[in-house]
Amino acid sequence: MSTSQQSPALGSTLRERLAASLGQGVTPYVVVVGYVVIASFWLISNPFSTIAFLVFLSSLLAIYYFPIPTWLRVALGLIVLGGVMPYVGNLNQGFLDVVTQAAIFVALALGLNVVVGFAGLLDLGYIAFFAIGAYLWAIFSTPQAANIFPGLAASFPLGSAWFFVFLILGVVAAGLFGVLLGLPVLRLRGDYLAIVTLGFGEVIRLLANNLNRPVNITGGAQGITNIGQPPLFFQPALDALNVQSSPGAEYRMYFYALALVIVLITIMSARRLNDSRVGRAWTAIREDETAAIAMGVPLVRMKLLAFAAGATFAGAMGVLYAAKLRFISPPTFDVVQSISILAMVILGGMGSIPGAVLGATLITLLNLRILPDFANQLVLWRRAGLPIPANFDPVQYQRLFFGLVLILVTIFRPEGLLPERRRRAELKAEGSKDTGEALVQDEQNMVHPDVGIK
Amino acid sequence: MAVKAQAQPLASRQASVGTLRQVLAPIGQIFVFVVGSSLILGAIVLVLALLLSRTQANLLSGVLTVLPLVIIDGLVLGFLYATIALGYTLVYGVLEFINFAHGEIYMVGAFVGGGLGLWLASQGLLAAMHPLLFVVFALLVAMTASGLLAVGIERFAYRPLRNAPRLVPLISAIGVSLVLQDLVRLLAGPSRFNLRYPQLGLSRRFQLLEIPTAAGANLRVAIDSQSLIFIVTSLLMLIALNYLINVTKLGKAIRAVAQDRATASLMGINVNLIIAMTFFIGGALGGGAGVLFGVKYSTVNPYIGFIAGLKAFTAAVLGGIGNITGAMVGGIVLGLLEAFVSTYLTLFTGGRFSGPDYASVASFLILIGILIFRPSGLLGEATTQKV
C-alpha cells in the first residue's frame, strides 16, 4: 500500500504514469463516457464491421478498468448491454448471436473458475456437466422421453412452461453428478483428479453417443433435434403494445436477455462464494493443502462443494444452450470443448472473475469472428500471390490456437490477463528484488483478528 | 551422466547372474500376469456363457471359437498400451509430472514411420526391402524422431515451469498435445489425414495349436505376423529398457535423479541432462509403439494419440505409476480386458450394446476403481521401485 502513495513518479513505468494521470479528477468520467458514446455510434453506423464490434465490446473493459463510481458503471453497463447491443442486434443478428454465445461461455468459464481458480482442482471434463444439463432438457422436451417412460408416453414432450423448472433441475442434476464423481476422486492428488475428470468427460460423451440402444435415450450419434424452446410469457404484453416482430428475432432477443441474466447471477454468486467463509477455505486449500487441514478446514467436504458448485453453473447453461440451438449431438461435448473452457480461465487469470469473463469473451470472439475473418483475409492474400499453404484454414485449427494460448500463457504470463489480486501480489513479491520489503508490507496489511482466550 | 567412474572390481560371475536375473525377472512377472488375466477373464466369460446359453443357443460354441483370437487381440492391444505407458511412468518417476503430450509423441512416431514408408515406396526402395528390414528401419527412424521431439518439448514447454505449482506444467502439457495434433494434421494435409502404411506383404500366419472339436472341423489357432512382430518387438524394448535402467550407468543416474534430485546433483550428476535423457527414452518408446501400431493396423490419423495416451496412462496407474514392470503389466491387463469387453459384450447382449464403445467406458471405470481401492496399483507399494 505504502509504495503507491510515496512515489508514483519514482521509477514508475509509462503504464503506471498513464494510469495515474487518467485516474484523477473528472478525466476517467470523460474518457469512459466518451469512449462508450463514440464506440456505440461507430457500431450503429457500421453494424457489419467486426472491428467496430470489437471496439464496442472493449468499452465494457474500459468501464471495468477506470476508477469511476459503481452507479456509473452499472448505468453504462446497462446502456451498452441493455440498450445499444439489442439495437445493433436488430441491424445485424450475427453480432447478437456472438454475444449470446459468448455469454454462455462466460458462465461456463465462471463455473470452471470456481473449481480450477478458487479451489485449485484441475477439472478436464467440465463439459460433461454442460452435456448433462443440455441432454436433460433435450430428452424431456422432445418425444425422446417417451422411450424411457413408456407408461407416461402421452405426457411427453413436456410443454415449454417446464423450461424454467428444468433450468433448476439442470443445476441440481449437474451438482449431483459433481458430487458423485467427486466423492471417490477428491481424496486423490491433483493430477490424478485431472485424468479422472478427463475420463469422466469421455464416458459421458460415449454414453451420449451410444445410449440409443437398446432403449433410445440420447438419440445416439444423430443427436436430438427439435428441442423445446422457453415460453414466450411476454407475448401478450408485446401484442398489447402492438410490437411487430418475427418469432425468430423475438427468440434471439429473448435468449440474449436470458443468457445475460444467468451470467449476472453467476457473476454475483461467484463473487459471493469467493468472499464467503467457503471461499476462504478454498483459497486455503489451493495455497497449501496441509496447512489448510491443520487449520481445521474440512478438506474433502470443501473440495466437493467447489466441484459441485462449479458443475451447477454448467448444468444451467446446458439447459439454455439446448433450448437455444434446438439441436444437440455428442461432438459438441468432446474434450476439446472442455479444454477450450480451461483455456478461457487460464487466459483471463485463474481465480479472477473479471478474468474469466474476459477470457471467455476473447476466445469466443476468436472462434466465431476473428478466425473466420482471418481465414477470409488469408484467401485474399493467397489470391494476391502470397505463399500461404492452400489447405490452411485457421477455422479448422482451433486446437492449435487453444494449445498455443495454454503454452504461451503458462510460460510467459502465468497470472493471466486480468489477474486476481492475491495472485498478482504474490507474483509481484516474487519478482521484486527486495522480497523482504514485500513480506513486511504483507505483514502490515494483514488484519490481525483478536486471537487468544479472553 | 557424469557419475565419476569408480575403480570397480571386475564383475564376478555372481554379479552377472544377478544382473541377468534383474533384467529377465520382469518378463516372468509379465508372463504370469498374461496367463493369469487370460485365465480369469476366460473363466468369467465361460461362466457367463454357460448361464446365458439356456436362452441363447450356440452361444457357448461361439464364445469358445473366438476366445483365442480375443486373447491375441487383447495381447496386441495390451503391449501397445504397455509400451506407451512406459513413457508416462518413466517421466512420472523422475519428475512426478504427467506428461500429457506423450500420447501425441506416440502419434508423431506413427506418422514418421508411415511417412518413411511412403517415401521409400515412392523411391521404389520399399519393394526391394525385406518387410522386416523396413520395420526395423522405420522403428529406428521414428524412435529417434519421437525421442528428439520429446526432448524438445521438455526443453521449451516444461523446463521453464519446473518450479511452478504442480498444475501449471500439466496445463502447458495439454497445450503441447493440442498443438501437436493440429501441427501434424497441417503438415500431413487433408489427403493424408488418414495415413496408410504401405502394404508390406506380411501375410504369413503362424499356427500355434490345433484344437479338435466335436463338430468335426478342427479349430486352428493362428497368429498373424504383424501381431507377432508387435509382441516380440515390445518385449525386446522392455528387456532393453530394463537393462538400461538397472545395469548401465545412465540408468543408475536416472534412478538417482528420480530418488532425490538435489542430492543427485550434489553427486555430480547433470540433472537437466538426465531429465532430457529420460524424456528421450520415453519418447523413443512411444514412437516405437506408434510404428508398431501402424504396421499392425495399417491406418493412422493425427488424433489416435489422445485416447491411446489416456488408456496408457490408465495402464501406468493400474500397474503402479513410476514402476516399469507395473506399466507393462497394467497395459496388458487393460488390453486384455478391453478386448474381452469389446467382443463379448456385443456377443452376450445380442448386439444391443456395442462392445467396442463400452470397452473405453470399462477401462475408465477400472481407472476410477483402482484409484479408489488401490491407488498404489497392481504391483503395490512393496515392490515399487521408483524407476
Side-chain angles (χ1 to χ4, degrees), chain A residues 233-291:
Chain A
F233 59 85
F234 47 82
Q235 191 64 51
L238 284 184
D239 290 341
L241 287 168
N242 218 356
V243 178
Q244 303 285 328
S245 64
S246 67
E250 235 166 70
Y251 270 117
R252 205 166 291 122
M253 212 58 83
Y254 187 21
F255 278 115
Y256 170 73
L258 266 178
L260 274 194
V261 168
I262 296 187
V263 164
L264 273 185
I265 294 173
T266 46
I267 289 181
M268 282 196 309
S269 34
R271 282 184 64 166
R272 300 302 292 258
L273 273 174
N274 198 25
D275 293 341
S276 72
R277 200 182 143 76
V278 177
R280 274 177 283 137
W282 288 339
T283 313
I285 292 172
R286 183 187 67 200
E287 298 298 330
D288 189 335
E289 230 170 71
T290 322

Side-chain angles (χ1 to χ4, degrees), chain B residues 143-188:
Chain B
M143 285 172 84
T144 316
S146 302
L148 290 178
L149 177 69
V151 172
I153 292 172
E154 192 272 333
R155 178 65 192 81
F156 292 107
Y158 303 157
R159 198 180 292 178
L161 301 170
R162 204 174 282 161
N163 295 317
R166 297 182 62 90
L167 291 184
V168 175
L170 187 60
I171 291 166
S172 170
I174 295 169
V176 172
S177 132
L178 292 186
V179 167
L180 281 180
Q181 287 176 8
D182 261 5
L183 267 187
V184 170
R185 192 157 72 97
L186 184 63
L187 292 176

